Amino acid sequence: QQQVKQSPQSLIVQKGGISIINCAYENTAFDYFPWYQQFPGKGPALLIAIRPDVSEKKEGRFTISFNKSAKQFSLHIMDSQPGDSATYFCAASDYGQNFVFGPGTRLSVLP
Amino acid sequence: NAGVTQTPKFQVLKTGQSMTLQCAQDMNHEYMSWYRQDPGMGLRLIHYSVGAGITDQGEVPNGYNVSRSTTEDFPLRLLSAAPSQTSVYFCASRSTGNGETQYFGPGTRLLVL
């Protein structure tokens, strides 16, 4: 019940295209859903986060879509750039407690 | 602010050896945690602490010990290293409360032979 599933495992997108990464969870107590971006050799860094009281959050080219009834959320990267090439992790936590992470998606944006 | 710092960056151990991975943060965060990252498995919580003197186990605590004597430091000890502990270890910190940003250190890459 604590698991967070993430797909795809890897993703290749052309420059300017849209990258979409999907996550699903089981625990209905989760109330905070962040996305992390990790470059090789670096620690993960918070990219964008959402709470279940909204269905969408946008920050620049990055958008989270949230479907509470389906227990799914996704990250959309618009106008993908080679600099976006990284590994992306979705995560979930309940009431500020510990985080559960998805297995990650390796994104490659081709120039 | 230096944020979250970790030492060493890379370490090679032989099976059975012990070592301590260091983690420090200068943001006065109450909550600190250790994760291990393995290919295809995301980040898994090893141990965490909600304040000095308070620690608890995460998802994969076996073979690891922690202590929290100060707010700033949260070392992770490998008691008797095993090849299964070959991984990249990340320390993280954040303020307590719902939705606080979690900051990660740069990681320690550990190879156990």
Side-chain angles (χ1 to χ4, degrees):
Chain A
Q1 192 174 13
Q2 285 291 89
Q3 191 178 14
V4 174
K5 297 180 180 179
Q6 183 174 348
S7 63
Q9 186 174 12
S10 63
L11 181 61
I12 299 175
V13 174
Q14 293 287 339
K15 178 182 176 181
I18 302 173
S19 304
I20 301 174
I21 305 170
N22 301 298
C23 285
Y25 63 98
E26 295 289 332
N27 188 348
T28 55
F30 288 149
D31 71 338
Y32 179 67
F33 302 89
W35 284 89
Y36 287 85
Q37 180 187 56
Q38 183 181 30
F39 293 105
K42 304 292 185 181
L46 179 66
L47 183 64
I48 186 173
I50 197 169
R51 295 188 184 280
D53 53 346
V54 296
S55 60
E56 185 175 283
K57 183 175 182 179
K58 183 176 181 179
E59 291 184 0
R61 296 184 293 108
F62 301 91
T63 300
I64 300 179
S65 297
F66 187 84
N67 186 329
K68 188 174 181 179
S69 61
K71 292 185 285 186
Q72 296 175 347
F73 58 110
S74 60
L75 175 69
H76 296 237
I77 306 175
M78 311 300 288
D79 187 25
S80 298
Q81 299 296 313
D84 297 330
S85 297
T87 299
Y88 293 81
F89 295 95
C90 61
S93 74
D94 56 339
Y95 303 101
Q97 298 303 311
N98 297 322
F99 287 74
V100 179
F101 285 83
T105 296
R106 179 170 291 185
L107 172 65
S108 297
V109 181
L110 303 180
Chain B
N1 286 351
V4 180
T5 58
Q6 292 183 238
T7 57
K9 291 185 178 180
F10 179 71
Q11 183 72 45
V12 180
L13 290 179
K14 294 181 179 179
T15 297
Q17 287 184 317
S18 62
M19 78 160 294
T20 299
L21 280 64
Q22 301 291 343
C23 174
Q25 52 93 8
D26 60 359
M27 297 174 281
N28 201 32
H29 286 163
E30 304 93 339
Y31 184 99
M32 296 185 73
S33 54
W34 276 101
Y35 294 88
R36 60 177 290 172
Q37 184 177 33
D38 302 292
M41 302 196 69
L43 293 114
R44 292 183 292 168
L45 183 65
I46 303 172
H47 285 284
Y48 66 98
S49 168
V50 297
I54 306 170
T55 64
D56 207 345
Q57 296 181 352
E59 179 185 357
V60 288
N62 292 341
Y64 308 94
N65 272 357
V66 292
S67 59
R68 185 94 178 269
S69 57
T70 67
T71 299
E72 295 79 17
D73 301 298
F74 190 44
L76 177 72
R77 298 182 186 85
L78 279 69
L79 308 174
S80 177
S84 61
Q85 294 179 304
T86 293
S87 187
V88 182
Y89 293 85
F90 289 99
C91 179
S93 77
R94 63 178 171 87
S95 293
T96 53
N98 200 3
E100 293 293 335
T101 299
Q102 183 159 232
Y103 297 89
F104 284 85
T108 294
R109 186 175 296 272
L110 177 66
L111 175 62
V112 183
L113 302 176

